[in-house]
Amino acid sequence: MDFSLLSEALSSKSYEKVSEICDELMLQAAAQGINFQDEWPHAIHLLGHLYINDVNSARFLWKSIPLLIKENQPEIVAVWKIGQRLWTRDYAGVHEAVRGFNWSSDVLNFVVAFSEKYTKKMFDLLLSAYSTISVADTALFLGMSEEDATNYALQYGWTVDPASKMLTVKKLPVVREQKLEPSKLQRLTEYVFHLEH
C-alpha cells in the first residue's frame, strides 16, 4: 500500500486530514481485495477520527479491527482508551488516557497535538459555561496540576482569588453586527449612484 499521502499529512501536521486519507486508502484496499489488516496504521487511523471529534466513526473502526491485532498492538488499545473516555464524556479520563501510555515515535506528535487541541476545547467549554470556577475543577477539566491550570487561565486574563481558590472567568468580548438604518442605506445608495453616473 502507498502511505505517502498519510506520511505527508503526518509530517506537515495536517492531522485534520488523517482520518479521511485513511478511510480512502482502506476503501481502495478493500476494493482491490488487498488484505491490509496486518500493516494498517490502526492507531493513527483511530486517532485521526478522535482528532476531528468523530467518535462514532472511531467506534466502528475499533469494532472492525481483528482481535488478534488488538491483542498484539497495545498502542491501538491505548488510543481506544482515549476514545472510550471521549464517548463517556470523562473529561479528566481523556487526559489520563493520553498520559497513561508510552507512545511510539510514529504516534507521539499526533497524540500531543490531539491533547493540546482537546485542552483548548475544554478551556473554551469552561469559558462559555462558567463565570467562576474552582481551581481544582479547572485542573480536572484541563488535565493539569492546579498550579499549571491556574497559570494557563491567567494567560487568558482570568483572575484568581488565592483565599477561596476560585478563578473568575474573563469573557471574550461579544462582537456585535452594526445594523444599517434604512435612511443611511438610502444615502449610501444615492452616493454610489452619483459616483457611477
Side-chain angles (χ1 to χ4, degrees):
M1 294 227 50
D2 180 13
F3 291 112
S4 58
L5 275 178
L6 178 59
S7 298
E8 185 180 306
L10 291 170
S11 64
S12 67
K13 298 186 179 187
S14 301
Y15 299 123
E16 67 283 350
K17 296 178 182 177
V18 168
S19 63
E20 185 179 334
I21 291 169
C22 287
D23 289 346
E24 184 62 34
L25 287 172
M26 187 178 270
L27 286 173
Q28 288 174 10
Q32 296 170 8
I34 299 171
N35 182 5
F36 55 85
Q37 290 291 348
D38 292 336
E39 65 182 60
W40 193 257
H42 294 286
I44 288 173
H45 193 174
L46 267 174
L47 193 55
H49 284 292
L50 299 179
Y51 187 83
I52 61 169
N53 200 28
D54 186 2
V55 182
N56 280 330
S57 293
R59 280 183 58 224
F60 290 119
L61 179 61
W62 170 255
K63 289 179 181 182
S64 73
I65 299 171
L67 183 60
L68 188 60
I69 291 175
K70 291 175 188 175
E71 289 172 349
N72 291 324
Q73 297 182 24
E75 194 162 55
I76 297 169
V77 176
V79 171
W80 181 236
K81 283 183 183 174
I82 296 170
Q84 289 173 310
R85 301 312 187 275
L86 288 169
W87 182 258
T88 60
R89 291 179 167 76
D90 177 1
Y91 305 116
V94 171
H95 298 292
E96 290 170 9
V98 165
R99 288 190 302 265
F101 189 80
N102 188 15
W103 302 100
S104 69
S105 58
D106 294 339
V107 178
L108 181 61
N109 289 336
F110 198 178
V111 170
V112 168
F114 167 83
S115 180
E116 289 170 355
K117 182 180 178 190
Y118 183 74
T119 298
K120 178 72 172 113
K121 179 182 173 184
M122 288 297 97
F123 186 77
D124 290 344
L125 179 69
L126 297 178
L127 183 65
S128 66
Y130 292 92
S131 56
T132 59
I133 184 171
S134 71
V135 170
D137 286 345
T138 303
L140 188 70
F141 275 100
L142 299 182
M144 301 176 181
S145 69
E146 289 188 10
E147 181 182 351
D148 289 344
T150 301
N151 291 334
Y152 188 89
L154 291 175
Q155 283 178 202
Y156 291 93
W158 293 22
T159 56
V160 64
D161 177 5
S164 65
K165 293 193 125 192
M166 294 294 288
L167 288 163
T168 302
V169 176
K170 179 183 179 187
K171 298 289 184 183
L172 297 175
V174 177
V175 178
R176 298 208 169 137
E177 287 187 35
Q178 190 174 13
K179 297 196 179 200
L180 196 57
E181 296 174 19
S183 62
K184 289 181 181 177
L185 183 59
Q186 178 64 34
R187 283 188 302 212
L188 181 62
T189 303
E190 290 171 1
Y191 180 73
V192 170
F193 180 78
H194 176 70
L195 289 175
E196 290 179 350
H197 292 77

